[in-house]
Amino acid sequence: MDQTTDLAVIGSGAGGLAAAVTAAAMGLRVTLLEKSAVLGGTTAWSGGWIWAPGNPVARRAGIVEDAQAPRTYLEALLGNHFDTERVDAFLAAAPQMVGFFEDQTALQFEGGTAIPDTYGHLPGAGTGGRSVIAQPYDARRLGKALALLRQPLRETTFHGMTIQAGPDLRAFMTMTRSPRAFLHASRRVLRHLRDLALHGRGMDLRNGAALVARLLRSALDLGVDIRTGVTVTALEQSAGRVTGLRLSDGGRLTCRNGVVLATGGFAHDSALRQQTFPRDKEHRTLAVPEATGDGITLARAVGAALRTDLRRPAAYCPVSEVPWPDGRRGLFPHIIERGKPGVIGVLADGRRFCNEGLGYHDYVEALLDAVPEGAPARSWLVCDIRFLRRYGLGVVRPQPVPWRGWARRGYLKTGRTVEDLARACGIDAGGLRATVDDWNTLAAQGEDPQFQRGTTPYMRLQGDPEQQPNPCVAPITRAPFCAVEVRPGSFGTFAGLACNGRAQVLNDTGAPIHGLWAAGTDAASPFGGFYPAGGINLGPALTFGFVAGRDAAGATP
């Protein structure tokens, strides 16, 4: 059946929901189409942090910095990949986006006042306040629409309970050493068990799940027409402008103002991955299965340009494969533990290859650069039992959660000696022994002369303040010794559709395709394939979703 709307948004992650909510708040009739049965895309599985320099949450906390500082930082990091138009558009619109959602929707934020940018040695790097995260959300406020919300990842939750980076995570990490932390963690676990019994899922939503839930609540409040299980097969044009959609059921949707593409990038499009990803066959993605490049395919069919000239094609993250007791296998993203004191990353020869305390993107970059073509891109995170029980390793949780089951299933490798551990992993025993001895020689003094762990604010934040003199460095001495195999992975794609500062999709000549916008990972990253800070996926997704919705509504910045 043919129908008409003002604006169609394809995809329901951060970019799509932001565009839909913005346009609806500005008076447009909006239809949001999602091919999955649930909403949220990869955003619902994410940590939820949003990079938005100059945001009003930071200003309320008393953090006021030079407006040029974030631009200076990005110029220093991106070099020849600096996209002046899109970077300037992002930096101008990100604070507006945060303020808009806080003032007019159910999306409210908390500030990351202590979260620094990744590369603290560069000019303009921030030391806190540039990131925000959605406030926790009571899922009951969604009513029946809760059934539309994508469930969180099994690997990154505790029996379905999301734990938020910051004070919440610290409480769980220190619950056996702090009565206050124990009380906080116990209360959260008990509430979660109650919710599982009553509702079959966690109701205290945090991280990306809270972001999606708040945007969904806002969309419902503003009358957005949300349709799941809908596949778009083609864009329609008239006089060079996108004016509608064709659907897989044979129907058409006429779009007076146009279409926003936010389908989640091409992390599961094997053909595009082969063209753009180094060592594609070894790469594992954390993106949802529905991220198959639909938006890019639709746009290219009407002449859109695809940008693959970025430094890296995806937002990298090291991952380990998790064998669950029920036979299912999943992926765990190694975000937290690499910067903690008492763990090192090594290759098959037993040697370190990177600064483990830098960003997760940097870890995979270093791994791909260190392993010759033709050899498996494998690494191992190595620690001792003291580290394992204090911080956990991969999906193995810290005390008091048992760990031996993961050893029996082969996920966690152990050895009474460093050499035993090396043999269990298939690592060169002499090389690992020499590496651990070299590490231990100076680790007790907090020194890492090889890679200088703990020398920037970002690295120190990832460490443990109780470990002195360097919160990121400690010896590996107490048996049994432990390791988890880690491979290249990613959260989603950086390569994507060429867009301008108004989020309009561009054709091969650099001209905008009128009536067509892109947000999230359907659009090429404005940061040129670099990873300047945590939240640089969701920050542009929300910001350019907001920009697209505003532009479609004809509003001026």
Side-chain angles (χ1 to χ4, degrees), residues 134-495:
Q135 290 181 8
Y137 192 69
D138 184 349
R140 296 167 186 82
R141 298 178 185 175
L142 288 176
K144 293 181 180 179
L146 176 60
L148 295 175
L149 185 65
R150 186 180 293 272
Q151 292 270 15
L153 267 179
R154 183 180 187 181
E155 289 75 25
T156 56
T157 63
F158 183 73
H159 298 287
M161 180 177 66
T162 50
I163 299 173
Q164 184 172 313
D168 189 42
L169 177 60
R170 282 196 295 273
F172 279 91
M173 297 285 285
T174 61
M175 62 179 295
T176 60
R177 307 192 300 275
S178 163
R180 177 178 292 183
F182 180 81
L183 182 61
H184 171 90
S186 297
R187 285 174 173 170
R188 286 215 59 211
V189 169
L190 290 173
R191 285 197 300 268
H192 181 67
L193 293 176
R194 177 203 63 190
D195 290 341
L196 288 179
L198 294 176
H199 305 284
R201 66 174 296 163
M203 305 297 279
D204 181 5
L205 303 180
R206 299 178 184 238
N207 305 339
L211 174 60
V212 171
R214 286 182 172 277
L215 285 169
L216 173 57
R217 180 69 267 167
S218 304
L220 295 169
D221 293 343
L222 290 164
V224 174
D225 179 13
I226 298 173
R227 308 182 191 183
T228 57
V230 177
T231 300
V232 178
T233 58
L235 301 174
E236 294 187 338
Q237 287 182 294
S238 177
R241 181 181 185 87
V242 173
T243 57
L245 307 171
R246 289 201 298 271
L247 308 177
S248 58
D249 63 2
R252 295 175 65 254
L253 182 64
T254 298
C255 310
R256 297 187 187 94
N257 294 58
V259 175
V260 178
L261 301 172
T263 65
F266 63 92
H268 290 282
D269 182 325
S270 58
L272 268 181
R273 276 184 42 159
Q274 288 175 17
Q275 296 173 30
T276 56
F277 278 47
R279 308 186 192 208
D280 171 59
K281 292 182 180 179
E282 295 185 81
H283 191 94
R284 304 290 182 266
T285 181
L286 294 156
V288 294
E290 292 83 3
T292 54
D294 294 3
I296 292 171
T297 300
L298 292 170
R300 295 179 80 182
V302 296
L306 178 67
R307 286 198 57 188
T308 61
D309 58 337
L310 289 74
R311 174 181 168 87
R312 296 293 185 180
Y316 290 153
C317 177
V319 299
S320 54
E321 189 172 285
V322 181
W324 290 102
D326 59 8
R328 288 185 289 177
R329 304 185 81 83
L331 295 174
F332 182 89
H334 290 263
I335 300 173
I336 301 297
E337 84 275 53
R338 292 170 300 95
K340 296 288 186 288
V343 66
I344 54 175
V346 302
L347 301 175
D349 61 5
R351 305 292 182 178
R352 290 176 71 203
F353 62 96
C354 71
N355 183 331
E356 301 88 350
L358 266 181
Y360 30 87
H361 184 80
D362 300 280
Y363 185 99
V364 176
E365 274 198 324
L367 175 58
L368 292 173
D369 290 342
V371 178
E373 288 286 346
R378 306 165 66 194
S379 69
W380 289 261
L381 290 173
V382 174
C383 67
D384 62 12
I385 191 63
R386 175 176 50 191
F387 180 99
L388 183 76
R389 302 313 289 144
R390 188 176 181 90
Y391 309 113
L393 185 65
V395 79
V396 185
R397 312 304 187 195
Q399 60 185 1
V401 182
W403 61 273
R404 295 184 186 278
W406 293 110
R408 288 193 295 270
R409 284 189 290 277
Y411 175 80
L412 181 72
K413 304 296 185 181
T414 62
R416 296 303 304 176
T417 67
V418 169
E419 290 82 359
D420 288 341
L421 176 65
R423 285 186 283 270
C425 296
I427 300 172
D428 179 83
L432 183 60
R433 175 80 266 175
T435 295
V436 172
D437 287 345
D438 288 346
W439 170 263
N440 288 341
T441 298
L442 294 173
Q445 286 76 48
E447 298 178 17
D448 174 22
Q450 186 175 6
F451 291 112
Q452 293 79 48
R453 279 226 331 240
T455 54
T456 67
Y458 176 87
M459 284 187 266
R460 290 192 289 273
L461 181 69
Q462 308 307 312
D464 183 346
E466 296 182 14
Q467 177 67 35
Q468 295 298 324
N470 186 335
C472 305
V473 175
I476 301 171
T477 57
R478 186 176 298 176
F481 300 94
C482 310
V484 166
E485 184 177 336
V486 173
R487 291 178 176 268
S490 68
F491 295 114
T493 45
F494 277 157

